Amino acid sequence: MSLAPIRIATLGQLTGPQDWRLSQVHDRPEHLIIWITRGQGRMLLNGTRRGVGTHNAMSIPPHTLFSLELGRQGAGMIALIPDGSDVRLPEGPRQLRIRDVAAISDMTALFEAAHREVTTPRPLTQDALDGHAALISVWLRRQIAIPDHLPLPMNAAARLSAAFCDRIARHHALGLTMADHAEALNVTPTHLTRACKAATGRTAADLLTERVLYAARIGLIESDGAIQDVARHLGFGSAAYFTRFMQQHTGMTPSAVRQKGRL
């Protein structure tokens, strides 16, 4: 099976009018690289919440739980590189705060050149994007190697939160409860909730609910399957329970979520 093509786009093109596609905790099947060109906000990555600002670069491997909230004036570029690509990429999730003027100029130029390939298509555009993605990855890996960019040690709460986020990224569609995940991590639900709250500002139950809600929205909007099939795929015992879940967290029925998401 051939891989999906590498994509270069703006943050706005990634989300469209549906901000939840970025601001709600979720994970993606591709490796995502984000370059913030304007604005400030907050991000959840690797089980912790942190501030985000202009000239921050994020490298997010496939199936890594994250969310990004930028203000109205926020802007940036993204590269989506399919899992299994020949592009050599950083292994773990990273956020880099870039202050070196030359490095900022280099990354901006790399993304601008890649984006020109998308907006002014020419022969061999995809080959060119493959090359641009490789250069963007080289830039990232060079920055990661700089001693100033070494990650800070994680405390016990952050480590537990990261382990929980990894579990719900991979197992959110199994219908498991927060208590089930806590048992698998050999901690009590109360301890897990405290750790996640300290590390992310959200409870463990909130994180799990957000990931399931994101999957539900995607399933409703991007497929034509019956609502009961979407519910079953996400581990809901019945379509009625799924409907109550969607109404509680969106104020809309599954059918309304599907209709609104396709406008």
Side-chain angles (χ1 to χ4, degrees), residues 15-37:
T15 63
Q18 300 165 338
D19 291 344
W20 58 265
R21 288 179 178 267
L22 198 58
S23 63
Q24 199 165 73
V25 292
H26 66 290
D27 58 277
R28 303 188 63 92
E30 318 95 334
H31 195 114
L32 175 62
I33 297 171
I34 303 175
W35 176 238
I36 303 298
T37 56

Side-chain angles (χ1 to χ4, degrees), residues 235-254:
F236 286 87
S238 68
Y241 178 32
F242 180 60
T243 296
R244 289 195 298 272
F245 174 84
M246 295 305 294
Q247 287 179 319
Q248 178 183 355
H249 295 291
T250 69
M252 295 183 287
T253 65

Side-chain angles (χ1 to χ4, degrees), residues 167-190:
R167 278 193 58 82
I168 61 176
R170 298 178 184 278
H171 305 304
H172 63 272
L174 298 182
L176 300 174
T177 66
M178 184 272 286
D180 293 330
H181 288 290
E183 182 178 3
L185 293 167
N186 296 313
V187 296
T188 66
T190 299

Side-chain angles (χ1 to χ4, degrees), residues 5-9 110 112-134:
I6 289 171
R7 288 179 55 201
I8 303 291
L110 287 171
E112 288 177 347
H115 198 238
R116 280 195 298 272
E117 289 289 341
V118 177
T119 55
T120 56
R122 294 173 287 178
L124 303 177
T125 291
Q126 195 55 54
D127 285 1
L129 290 181
D130 291 349
H132 286 302

Side-chain angles (χ1 to χ4, degrees), residues 171-214:
H171 305 304
H172 63 272
L174 298 182
L176 300 174
T177 66
M178 184 272 286
D180 293 330
H181 288 290
E183 182 178 3
L185 293 167
N186 296 313
V187 296
T188 66
T190 299
H191 183 58
L192 179 59
T193 292
R194 286 174 179 163
C196 290
K197 186 72 173 178
T200 71
R202 295 174 169 97
T203 67
D206 288 341
L207 292 168
L208 177 58
T209 296
E210 278 198 47
R211 183 61 188 93
V212 173
L213 181 59
Y214 187 96

